[in-house]
Amino acid sequence: SCLAALTLDGQILWQTGKPDPWKTMLTNDVAFQIHDLNQDGKNEVIYCMDQEIVMAEGATGKIIKKTPTPLTPGGKPMESGHNSFPRILGDCIYFLDLKGKGFDSDFILKDRYQSFWAYDSNLDLIWSGECRTGHYPSASDIDHDGKDELFMGYSLFDDDGKMQWSLDGELSDHADGVAIVRYDENADPVILCAASDEGMLFIDLNGHILKHHYIGHAQNPAVANFRDDLPGLETVSVDY
């Protein structure tokens, strides 16, 4: 209902929408991010509001461009459930490089929890896909062609939107947090999933599960060098 930009001293630089004191509970991923989408050295703010995707100047909030969000999958809103509006509200935004420009000039917008759409920096739709999306994706140039592949939920997609493989048929629940990680500089990257009631998963780039730890309802993984006494990087996650 409201988006505001503030200085570190609390001064409001700009604001759009109106704060709603009744909106005290939020469990979904909110579709807004700050990113220099066109590489002009100035950040834009990309967000969804009133069933529109908006790109605004980061410094002023002035709208540069906007376009309607995708129609609710299936052609009509559900009578109840997550999609009760004609168009999706937007459930997260993730930046990546689908065209091989060398910087993240494209972005993914998803719903909750079945469909996602790829856009370029002009807010033009590139392609769309479906899977059990989970909460937030991860991307990396896995095949070294200069363009990012997208890991969404339990599925890997090429830069053109073609599904490479999926574990949707093998795993239940949805992925709360995922990442494509090279734990050691001499090792191949692996995919980690904090996979809700499925626990913690580690998957190779061909879709084979390497490790499966049932630790409870796993969420919010972080990857860093947490322990100097161990080689490479480590992952910390929490359960619910």
Side-chain angles (χ1 to χ4, degrees), residues 71-140:
L71 290 168
T72 296
K76 61 180 180 180
M78 298 167 59
E79 292 183 2
S80 63
H82 301 303
N83 297 322
S84 57
F85 295 89
R87 295 182 176 274
I88 71 164
L89 302 183
D91 198 63
C92 84
I93 292 173
Y94 180 85
F95 299 105
L96 73 175
D97 183 8
L98 294 173
K99 297 184 177 181
K101 292 184 177 181
F103 62 94
D104 294 341
S105 63
D106 312 299
F107 66 91
I108 300 294
L109 176 69
K110 61 180 279 291
D111 68 3
R112 190 175 181 94
Y113 290 105
Q114 63 183 12
S115 303
F116 61 95
W117 296 262
Y119 290 87
D120 64 18
S121 57
N122 292 316
L123 307 189
D124 292 327
L125 181 66
I126 306 173
W127 46 259
S128 62
E130 291 186 355
C131 66
R132 198 182 318 147
T133 62
H135 281 272
Y136 204 71
S138 183
S140 182

Side-chain angles (χ1 to χ4, degrees), residues 29-62:
D29 304 293
V30 184
F32 81 92
Q33 293 286 353
I34 300 169
H35 181 63
D36 184 1
L37 194 58
N38 53 18
Q39 287 289 288
D40 64 353
K42 300 177 181 179
N43 281 331
E44 287 77 47
V45 179
I46 295 90
Y47 60 93
C48 291
M49 183 179 283
D50 298 329
Q51 299 172 66
E52 292 181 316
I53 308 170
V54 181
M55 179 167 60
E57 293 180 353
T60 66
K62 179 182 177 182

Side-chain angles (χ1 to χ4, degrees), residues 79-208:
E79 292 183 2
S80 63
H82 301 303
N83 297 322
S84 57
F85 295 89
R87 295 182 176 274
I88 71 164
L89 302 183
D91 198 63
C92 84
I93 292 173
Y94 180 85
F95 299 105
L96 73 175
D97 183 8
L98 294 173
K99 297 184 177 181
K101 292 184 177 181
F103 62 94
D104 294 341
S105 63
D106 312 299
F107 66 91
I108 300 294
L109 176 69
K110 61 180 279 291
D111 68 3
R112 190 175 181 94
Y113 290 105
Q114 63 183 12
S115 303
F116 61 95
W117 296 262
Y119 290 87
D120 64 18
S121 57
N122 292 316
L123 307 189
D124 292 327
L125 181 66
I126 306 173
W127 46 259
S128 62
E130 291 186 355
C131 66
R132 198 182 318 147
T133 62
H135 281 272
Y136 204 71
S138 183
S140 182
D141 181 12
I142 292 173
D143 58 9
H144 308 292
D145 66 349
K147 303 174 184 179
D148 283 340
E149 282 68 52
L150 174 72
F151 188 72
M152 174 73 78
Y154 301 130
S155 304
L156 183 70
F157 295 85
D158 205 352
D159 56 84
D160 60 0
K162 182 180 179 180
M163 182 184 287
Q164 303 298 294
W165 51 261
S166 178
L167 297 176
D168 280 353
E170 300 180 35
L171 300 168
S172 60
D173 217 324
H174 60 255
D176 279 333
V178 303
I180 303 171
V181 180
R182 189 185 298 274
Y183 280 94
D184 189 275
E185 61 182 0
N186 297 318
D188 292 331
V190 298
I191 299 168
L192 70 91
C193 293
S196 302
D197 287 343
E198 284 281 3
M200 200 72 187
L201 293 158
F202 296 88
I203 307 165
D204 70 18
L205 298 183
N206 295 313
H208 302 120

Side-chain angles (χ1 to χ4, degrees), residues 1-2 20 22-32 89-91 112-113 135 219 240:
S1 61
C2 178
D20 185 348
W22 287 98
K23 290 193 167 112
T24 58
M25 180 68 175
L26 188 67
T27 62
N28 63 290
D29 304 293
V30 184
F32 81 92
L89 302 183
D91 198 63
R112 190 175 181 94
Y113 290 105
H135 281 272
Q219 294 183 316
Y240 189 49

